[in-house]
Amino acid sequence: MTTTSPRGRRALSRPWVAALVVALLVAVTPRMDAWAQDPDLEDQLDEAQDNLDEAQAEQARIAAQVGSAQATVAALDLEIHALETELRAREAELAEATTIFEEARVATEAVEASLALVTDDLRASQERLEGDRSRFDSRVAATYMYGGPLAMADVLFQSQDFGEFVRTGYYIESILEDDKSLIDRVADETRQIAHERTEIDRLRDQLATEEASAERARQAVARATDLHRTITARVEAERVERASTLAALESDLATYTELVAAYQAESDRIAQELANSRWRAGAPGAGELLWPTNGSAGSGYGYRTHPIFGTRRLHSGVDIGAPLGQDIVAAAEGLVIEAGWKGGYGLAVVIDHGGGLATLYAHQSRLLVSDGQVVTAGQVIGEVGSTGQSTGPHLHYEVRVDGVPRDPMEWY
């Protein structure tokens, strides 16, 4: 195979010259196989990634549980707040019931004292009434036996003189006044007794009312006390359960967070080691890239009207006219990082030459290398074709630095 540069640099007009140059390059350039991808590291990375994925999934599951638990905790906080509010209300009821009970007890004692006094008064009134009634009955009997008021008049008119008449009248008047006073007193005592009995009945009713009120207050105190204990116990239980649930979930989350961090660190370590194992040779400089196939550069790097779409866009490489099936060679030693169908590029190969420099070979009809393969400068990597967005057999060739297209002719 012969390869020629459009500017005459590296003119390889004879096959043996190309072979000699390749041999010399191989002889003076140390092999970089140690920097190629390591299958063991790839397996370790896959395993580490699997572990990381599993740990992250478990972490997400527990995080969701923590979120649910936090929502439950928020609901518990609201419930505890409601319970505490109810507890304060019960405490107020307890205080009020205790006050009412104490007032009822004092009122009951006062009524009982009043009832005792009125009962004593009633007993004394009844005794006085009995005495006055006895005297009244005696006067009534005497009046009946001695003729009553008419007999008293006869006695009055039988007086011998006016002095006796006056004395007799005064005596009779005294008797009559005494009788009237006795009658009034008996009537007053009867009314007093009736009043005292009514008061006793009222006081007894009031006592019954106060005792009933005191009993209701006592029962309210008992209920409020029991409810106070129940609510207090429930609030404490909720607090304990909340603390326990959160502690367990937070512990699990912390465990899996540490596990994820450990797996991530391991994955990063292997990925870094794998990255370090990729091609690390210095990037080829100007004049150090082989021309990739025999032929001259046609359409060059820069903006142009696209031959298929008719729009003006950047042509990110150079097109080298060549017949279908002609060999394509690697422009320099490196690591194949892509080999396969690549959209509008069709069948393409991308080679990493180190230092951020890579070359791309597009529209091939057949690929002769695969991903991860180390190639030498001048090694055949494929054949010219017209796959992808192409108007005919040719090689579209690009040079990229850190992924950004550059004019390939800067290296020739």
Side-chain angles (χ1 to χ4, degrees):
M1 183 200 76
T2 60
T3 59
T4 59
S5 166
R7 297 183 183 176
R9 302 175 185 177
R10 296 190 176 279
L12 305 179
S13 57
R14 298 180 180 81
W16 67 268
V17 175
L20 177 60
V21 170
V22 170
L24 289 172
L25 287 173
V26 172
V28 299
T29 304
R31 294 294 298 159
M32 302 297 182
D33 291 344
W35 288 316
Q37 289 178 318
D38 187 338
D40 289 338
L41 284 176
E42 291 284 358
D43 292 342
Q44 291 177 32
L45 181 61
D46 289 343
E47 182 179 358
Q49 189 62 49
D50 289 343
N51 291 335
L52 178 60
D53 291 343
E54 291 177 5
Q56 286 175 332
E58 187 64 15
Q59 182 188 36
R61 185 184 69 80
I62 295 176
Q65 288 183 341
V66 168
S68 176
Q70 288 173 340
T72 301
V73 165
L76 284 177
D77 284 337
L78 291 177
E79 186 174 355
I80 287 174
H81 178 71
L83 288 174
E84 289 174 340
T85 301
E86 184 178 357
L87 181 58
R88 287 191 292 271
R90 297 289 84 77
E91 287 172 345
E93 289 179 7
L94 176 58
E96 182 180 1
T98 302
T99 300
I100 292 173
F101 178 76
E102 184 62 23
E103 290 174 351
R105 186 187 63 78
V106 172
T108 299
E109 291 177 354
V111 170
E112 287 176 343
S114 297
L115 182 58
L117 290 175
V118 173
T119 301
D120 290 342
D121 291 343
L122 177 61
R123 189 178 300 110
S125 296
Q126 286 176 333
E127 290 175 354
R128 288 194 303 272
L129 178 60
E130 289 299 325
D132 290 340
R133 276 182 174 173
S134 177
R135 288 178 59 198
F136 181 74
D137 290 343
S138 297
R139 287 293 302 134
V140 170
T143 300
Y144 177 77
M145 289 177 62
Y146 296 107
L150 292 177
M152 290 183 184
D154 289 342
V155 171
L156 181 63
F157 288 116
Q158 289 175 6
S159 300
Q160 297 300 319
D161 53 32
F162 181 73
E164 184 180 357
F165 178 83
V166 172
R167 289 191 298 274
T168 303
Y170 179 76
Y171 176 73
I172 291 173
E173 183 182 2
S174 297
I175 292 174
L176 291 175
E177 285 295 330
D178 186 61
D179 287 346
K180 182 177 179 299
S181 176
L182 180 60
I183 290 170
D184 290 342
R185 193 163 61 250
V186 168
D188 288 343
E189 289 173 348
T190 301
R191 284 193 298 272
Q192 179 66 24
I193 288 172
H195 172 73
E196 289 172 348
R197 282 178 175 168
T198 301
E199 181 65 11
I200 286 174
D201 290 340
R202 187 189 70 77
L203 290 173
R204 282 177 176 166
D205 290 341
Q206 183 180 352
L207 180 60
T209 300
E210 296 295 349
E211 287 177 344
S213 176
E215 177 60 22
R216 287 194 299 272
R218 186 192 65 76
Q219 292 176 359
V221 169
R223 287 194 302 271
T225 302
D226 290 342
L227 190 57
H228 183 281
R229 293 197 189 99
T230 300
I231 293 175
T232 301
R234 183 176 177 186
V235 168
E236 291 304 319
E238 292 287 2
R239 283 177 175 156
V240 170
E241 180 180 353
R242 178 183 65 179
S244 176
T245 300
L246 279 179
L249 287 173
E250 288 172 353
S251 175
D252 289 346
L253 184 59
T255 298
Y256 275 94
T257 299
E258 292 176 1
L259 188 60
V260 166
Y263 281 139
Q264 184 68 61
E266 178 66 9
S267 178
D268 292 344
R269 183 193 65 77
I270 296 174
Q272 185 61 46
E273 187 174 344
L274 192 60
N276 293 339
S277 74
R278 298 177 72 84
W279 197 262
R280 297 192 303 176
E288 294 182 352
L289 291 180
L290 296 177
W291 194 245
T293 192
N294 191 24
S296 301
S299 179
Y301 176 88
Y303 282 91
R304 67 171 187 173
T305 299
H306 195 280
I308 295 178
F309 300 110
T311 57
R312 186 169 177 77
R313 61 177 63 181
L314 176 67
H315 187 233
S316 55
V318 294
D319 291 338
I320 302 173
L324 183 69
Q326 181 172 286
D327 288 344
I328 302 170
V329 301
E333 187 176 27
L335 176 69
V336 176
I337 56 176
E338 287 187 60
W341 188 267
K342 195 172 173 61
Y345 287 112
L347 290 175
V349 171
V350 179
I351 301 175
D352 178 9
H353 301 289
L357 188 142
T359 54
L360 179 146
Y361 313 80
H363 305 310
Q364 298 186 42
S365 60
R366 187 162 72 108
L367 303 179
L368 300 176
V369 292
S370 57
D371 288 358
Q373 182 177 341
V374 174
V375 295
T376 58
Q379 179 178 336
V380 178
I381 59 172
E383 296 177 355
V384 172
S386 186
T387 56
Q389 295 172 0
S390 171
T391 57
H394 71 285
L395 171 64
H396 175 81
Y397 173 57
E398 292 184 11
V399 176
R400 293 182 176 241
V401 177
D402 294 327
V404 179
R406 295 272 294 274
D407 185 355
M409 303 312 298
E410 295 178 13
W411 280 263
Y412 296 94

